[in-house]
Amino acid sequence: MGYTNQRIAYGNTLVELGKENKEIVVLDADLGGSTMGKMFEAEFPERHFEAGIAEANMTSMAAGLAQTGKIPFTNSFAVFSGGRAYDQIRQTIAIGKLNVKICGSSSGMSDFGDGATHQAIEDIAIMRAIPNMTVLCPADANETAEAVKAMVKVHGPCYIRLNRNDYENVTEEGKTFEIGKPSVLREGSDAAVCATGYMTGLALEAAEKLEGRISVKVINVATIKPLDEEALKKAIGDCKAIVTAEEHSIVGGLGSAVAEVLRRDTRPIEFVGVNDTFGCSAHSYKDVLKCHGLTTEHIVEAIEQII
């Protein structure tokens, strides 16, 4: 495949799946050029629905399509796909256990230029609190492609959050995605870093920087919900301390999910994430990440302090 952008991987995978499964339909809210829903539209115009700037209506349309046996994917920026359509997602899709797949594009701080109004730092917390909802946050483009395939295979509401920017893959291309299962990307014995999304690559960099001083295990947690508790505990093993790393608020995100699993564990846990604040505009993605403490150096510092 060779993609290094999650949105491109997502769009191409939808087209591939659309060729195999005629029940897949795609809905956009005036952002198909950004979400890459335009790729599906170009291939299957009769199965693509443009709802305009009306995420709530788009979500209700998807619910209706699901009732007819279709597998609808709704697309918008993460801050809008879940936020503006929350009521429709909760009341119709989640309560009804409808087979709707929700894509939150440009998640986290990845829309660095548009600032707080377009940066979703609370979407994981919102979605994981909704009963019946599966919540996915793949590490890179490779994992995105496989996660989308897994979403089609499982029946019921799913939410996937995707980054806007290009960056190198850290997971194996073509590896089957198992919903709920964390995966160890690097072995270690002192500290375990549970990371998700873009931060997974930074966690690997942090482990490399600390090699020879602190042995760091890196665990990719691409499913936030349902999170296989026994699998996560096994992955962490006997590490002395745990650090979580996410491009999301430390309130209600991956850190909270891991802490819930380890609530009877006596080992210390440290969170690396957005410290209960909104985002901001920046000239580059790296600038906004640095401003909010989402860097390799911040993960290194968290590991050093907790050990």
Side-chain angles (χ1 to χ4, degrees):
M1 182 176 63
Y3 306 125
T4 55
N5 185 289
Q6 288 188 310
R7 294 178 301 150
I8 300 296
Y10 170 75
N12 276 286
T13 303
L14 276 185
V15 171
E16 292 174 16
L17 293 170
K19 293 175 182 177
E20 302 167 4
N21 190 334
K22 294 183 179 180
E23 299 306 316
I24 293 175
V25 295
V26 172
L27 298 88
D28 271 296
D30 200 45
L31 288 168
S34 183
T35 66
M36 296 305 154
K38 67 178 183 180
M39 294 181 174
F40 195 90
E41 180 183 17
E43 192 77 25
F44 310 107
E46 74 285 357
R47 289 157 58 190
H48 180 272
F49 303 92
E50 175 55 65
I53 307 174
E55 285 81 1
N57 286 346
M58 173 182 69
T59 303
S60 292
M61 289 165 60
L65 287 163
Q67 293 279 46
T68 70
K70 302 298 181 185
I71 306 173
F73 279 77
T74 65
N75 300 281
S76 187
F77 286 180
V79 73
F80 303 136
S81 62
R84 298 189 76 191
Y86 173 79
D87 192 53
Q88 287 71 25
I89 292 170
R90 183 190 187 276
Q91 303 294 73
T92 307
I93 292 171
I95 290 177
K97 299 180 182 180
L98 300 183
N99 196 27
V100 177
K101 317 304 178 184
I102 303 160
C103 178
S105 193
S106 297
S107 66
M109 300 289 186
S110 64
D111 186 3
F112 57 85
D114 289 330
T117 58
H118 284 58
Q119 293 164 353
I121 47 82
E122 71 278 55
D123 55 315
I124 291 176
I126 292 170
M127 288 297 178
R128 68 182 288 263
I130 301 175
N132 302 324
M133 184 65 69
T134 293
V135 182
L136 307 178
C137 183
D140 55 22
N142 284 345
E143 194 165 53
T144 296
E146 301 308 313
V148 173
K149 294 174 187 175
M151 289 170 70
V152 171
K153 291 179 182 177
V154 66
H155 189 278
C158 293
Y159 175 72
I160 186 170
R161 75 188 315 244
L162 302 179
N163 196 292
R164 185 184 185 91
N165 304 293
D166 293 337
Y167 59 90
E168 293 301 314
N169 289 299
V170 296
T171 65
E172 181 184 344
E173 183 177 346
K175 183 180 179 182
T176 300
F177 188 91
E178 294 185 72
I179 291 177
K181 301 289 186 182
S183 59
V184 176
L185 299 185
R186 180 187 172 109
E187 291 291 349
S189 56
D190 293 327
V193 180
C194 298
T196 193
Y198 176 75
M199 299 297 284
T200 306
L202 301 191
L204 288 167
E205 290 178 5
E208 187 72 25
K209 285 181 177 290
L210 288 168
E211 188 173 9
R213 291 194 292 129
I214 300 174
S215 177
V216 179
K217 177 182 287 189
V218 177
I219 303 166
N220 174 27
V221 187
T223 304
I224 312 298
K225 181 187 176 184
L227 180 52
D228 188 319
E229 296 191 5
E230 291 308 312
L232 180 62
K233 290 176 182 177
K234 182 179 179 181
I236 293 170
D238 296 326
C239 288
K240 304 178 185 70
I242 298 98
V243 172
T244 65
E246 59 191 309
E247 192 181 348
H248 182 275
S249 173
I250 59 173
V251 179
L254 172 67
S256 297
V258 172
E260 288 163 17
V261 171
L262 302 177
R263 58 191 176 275
R264 294 184 180 88
D265 201 302
T266 58
R267 287 173 290 183
I269 303 176
E270 185 58 73
F271 297 163
V272 175
V274 181
N275 193 23
D276 195 23
T277 183
F278 287 110
C280 59
S281 297
H283 291 296
S284 73
Y285 186 37
K286 287 188 176 181
D287 283 347
V288 76
L289 292 176
K290 183 178 180 181
C291 176
H292 290 278
L294 306 176
T295 68
T296 301
E297 289 70 30
H298 284 94
I299 298 174
V300 167
E301 183 180 346
I303 295 169
E304 289 176 332
Q305 288 181 349
I306 202 167
I307 289 294

